[in-house]
Amino acid sequence: MKKLIVAAAIGNCVHVAGVYNFLRFAEHQGYETVFLGPAVPIKKLIEAVKEHKPEIVGVSFRLTPSALEKLLEELKREIEVNNLQHIKWVFGGTEPTAEVARKSGIFAAVFDGKNGDEATINFLRGGSSNHRQRVFADTLIGRIEDKYPYPIIRHHFGLPSLEDTIEGVKKIAEAEVLDVISIAPDQNAQEHFFDKKYDKSLDGAGGVPIRKKEDLIRIYEASKRGNYPLLRCYSGTNDVFKMAEMLLETIHNAWAAIPLCWYNVLDGRGPRDVNTSIRENQQLMKWHAEKGVPVEVNEAHHWSLRDAHDVIGVTMAYLAAYNAKKMGVRDYVAQFMFNVPASISPKMDLAKMLAKIELIEELQDENFRVIRQARAGLASFPSDLLEAKGQLASSAYLSMAIKPHIYHVVGYCEAHHAATPEDIIESVKIVKAVIKNSMFGMPDLTQDKEVIQRKEQLKKETRILLEAIKSLAPHSPDPLSDPDVLALAIKIGLLDAPHLKGNKYAKGELQTKVIDGACYAYDYEKHRIIPEQERVEKILREYERLVITV
């Protein structure tokens, strides 16, 4: 039997948007609702309560606080006279009226909008509406389950000073806007934490200079306030297993972010060759899987950021998930970075993400769950801070079309300066407003005909590329997870990107062009798009000739 809620705006208050929204949330949580409307007299409210016998009564008032005091005195008398104290009475209004409501002693919960819709949803699910009384989940899955269909919010943070970073984590936690703080260590820490071969001139470059285990413990302790955000940290690019173990021990790493083919000689972020790094990255996925830690394989956007065409971006998204599943990962965080390249159109961007999602989620079963994480691409942000705020909001709105479980906010200021705690709080609040508006009901952008057409084309061409990779090792039991096969695919150019030109570990011959908002492999001599079938057949023919010659 469904629980019932009766709600109204009382007295002479005609502002019902808030109470109506409250009832909409209640319906989504399985309640039946009765809306009495605006300007409902106290006597009429009491009569309706006696008639319907609800479990919860919602009262709203958004006018003068002094007028509310008299109304609540009357309401309190009527509740006592009619023996209605067993019902949960809740209030929603402005901050001044909410304060009056709290003092009345009538209400089990008072909502003033400061803690967002998540507080309302938590209350309706049987929790507390008050952050101070809430027990926050200390795992990624727990946080997601507490908030969905609202995504949990993540932002990266790391300043060139350790002390400033620690103080910043405190400010962000106390602001209660972020669910996950991703600690960004500087490149020195990622590569040289254990061998101590630091380049002092690069201290603080790209993040916080973490130099000892205790630094991470201090950062973790700083987060234990406010809404107790989870912490996670970028993977190491060297001594990857030692780094993973330390992160799990010190900050209880909420999930691991591990590349498949990167953090090596391809991108110059480490000394490992491609084959070795793929093997180690796979084993690192397995290591986390055995410990029950969710894993994100941040792979596809590395190719798209280097201007690979959309087919390679989709292919690598699939291969990342495929390899994670192969290594035993149960909770897989699939990152969908929008706006890459920056000139891609919203329609074609969404089509690319939907192609990734549909292919990745074909892998789902009782042992493999996909968690969608959306974010904006850093290169899409202009240096003008006002324009950047517009880009932040625009990208977030488009991203909501894929119904993410995690939204990774990129600070609007990132093209101008590294985000301070104040920048992060402001950026998150902008995105939260976008998310809230989208929850009222946005057009289903996934049903656009052009989006669907491009999505299906990408899926078809991705399968062509995957079959070409498999053909490199027809006798391999599983070529798509074979490090030698994947490294070979990079070496001969099946997997390639324009930015890899001159890299002796890759082919570096791919040229691409954005046409009508989508990124294609392109022949600049003949001025035409190269279909994926034609591209891979040419590469395979050249490889076969090379093998025969050798």
Side-chain angles (χ1 to χ4, degrees), residues 65 68-69 72 91 93-105 107 110-112 114:
L68 178 62
E69 290 178 6
L72 294 187
F91 180 88
T94 61
E95 286 190 50
T97 59
E99 188 58 34
V100 172
R102 290 187 185 95
K103 291 178 180 177
S104 72
F107 301 103
V110 175
F111 303 100
D112 58 12
K114 287 170 61 177

Side-chain angles (χ1 to χ4, degrees), residues 7 12 60 129 267 317 320 330 380 432 439 448 486 500 510 541 544:
N12 61 344
S60 175
S129 64
D267 53 11
R330 295 182 63 89
S380 70
K432 281 197 165 188
M439 288 295 175
D448 181 274
L486 296 176
L500 292 176
L510 177 67
R541 283 195 303 269
E544 287 169 7

Side-chain angles (χ1 to χ4, degrees), residues 185-215:
D186 66 0
Q187 183 57 35
N188 263 337
Q190 286 182 274
E191 189 171 352
H192 299 299
F193 184 90
F194 295 98
D195 65 26
K196 306 300 181 186
K197 296 177 182 178
Y198 299 123
D199 181 344
K200 296 295 183 183
S201 67
L202 296 178
D203 278 354
V208 55
I210 295 167
R211 297 294 180 263
K212 54 185 184 293
K213 183 177 175 180
E214 289 72 22
D215 296 344

Side-chain angles (χ1 to χ4, degrees), residues 49-347:
V49 171
K50 290 166 69 176
E51 176 187 352
H52 293 288
K53 298 180 174 58
E55 179 173 315
I56 298 172
V57 180
V59 174
S60 175
F61 190 85
R62 301 182 63 84
L63 300 177
T64 309
S66 59
L68 178 62
E69 290 178 6
K70 296 177 182 178
L71 282 170
L72 294 187
E73 288 173 6
E74 181 184 354
L75 176 60
K76 192 169 188 176
R77 285 196 303 271
E78 291 293 333
I79 290 171
E80 292 170 353
V81 168
N82 291 280
N83 295 316
L84 300 176
Q85 297 94 330
H86 61 284
I87 292 171
K88 284 185 181 177
W89 295 78
V90 301
F91 180 88
T94 61
E95 286 190 50
T97 59
E99 188 58 34
V100 172
R102 290 187 185 95
K103 291 178 180 177
S104 72
I106 297 172
F107 301 103
V110 175
F111 303 100
D112 58 12
K114 287 170 61 177
N115 291 329
D117 296 336
E118 297 96 324
T120 305
I121 293 171
N122 186 71
F123 171 78
L124 291 167
R125 289 175 176 173
S128 171
S129 64
N130 189 335
H131 270 330
R132 305 301 175 191
Q133 298 171 357
R134 285 186 62 184
V135 175
F136 294 92
D138 61 0
T139 65
L140 173 63
I141 302 304
R143 289 270 172 151
I144 290 171
E145 289 176 346
D146 281 351
K147 289 187 67 174
Y148 202 75
Y150 281 73
I152 66 170
I153 306 296
R154 163 195 172 191
H155 200 297
H156 74 276
F157 179 60
L159 297 174
S161 158
L162 174 65
E163 297 304 323
D164 288 346
T165 299
I166 290 170
E167 289 305 309
V169 167
K170 290 179 182 179
K171 288 180 183 178
I172 294 167
E174 288 167 352
E176 300 184 348
V177 295
L178 269 187
D179 299 284
V180 183
I181 301 175
S182 288
I183 302 301
D186 66 0
Q187 183 57 35
N188 263 337
Q190 286 182 274
E191 189 171 352
H192 299 299
F193 184 90
F194 295 98
D195 65 26
K196 306 300 181 186
K197 296 177 182 178
Y198 299 123
D199 181 344
K200 296 295 183 183
S201 67
L202 296 178
D203 278 354
V208 55
I210 295 167
R211 297 294 180 263
K212 54 185 184 293
K213 183 177 175 180
E214 289 72 22
D215 296 344
L216 289 165
I217 293 172
R218 290 181 64 199
I219 291 172
Y220 179 77
E221 290 172 348
S223 71
K224 298 295 101 180
R225 64 197 72 228
N227 67 336
Y228 289 72
L230 305 179
L231 295 185
R232 60 168 307 282
C233 184
Y234 295 173
S235 172
T237 61
N238 205 6
D239 297 305
V240 294
F241 293 96
K242 288 182 181 179
M243 179 66 79
E245 191 163 7
M246 183 178 67
L247 293 178
L248 200 55
E249 181 183 344
T250 55
I251 65 169
H252 306 281
N253 210 19
W255 75 90
I258 305 164
L260 179 62
C261 302
W262 299 89
Y263 288 10
N264 52 38
V265 292
L266 276 183
D267 53 11
R269 296 184 70 182
R272 301 179 295 170
D273 61 59
V274 179
N275 303 59
T276 299
S277 64
I278 293 174
R279 283 191 172 83
E280 287 191 351
N281 290 336
Q282 288 174 329
Q283 291 307 305
L284 193 56
M285 295 176 207
K286 185 178 181 181
W287 186 89
H288 283 93
E290 289 172 347
K291 290 173 171 50
V293 179
V295 170
E296 169 190 339
V297 183
N298 52 351
E299 180 68 21
H301 64 269
H302 280 290
W303 294 89
S304 294
L305 285 166
R306 291 166 174 84
D307 284 345
H309 61 304
D310 293 339
V311 175
I312 286 181
V314 176
T315 299
M316 296 316 297
Y318 177 81
L319 284 175
Y322 183 91
N323 277 267
K325 182 176 182 178
K326 186 78 175 179
M327 294 303 116
V329 172
R330 295 182 63 89
D331 294 309
Y332 177 69
V333 179
Q335 179 170 170
F336 302 100
M337 184 184 287
F338 285 75
N339 320 118
V340 180
S343 53
I344 195 170
S345 73
K347 279 190 177 184

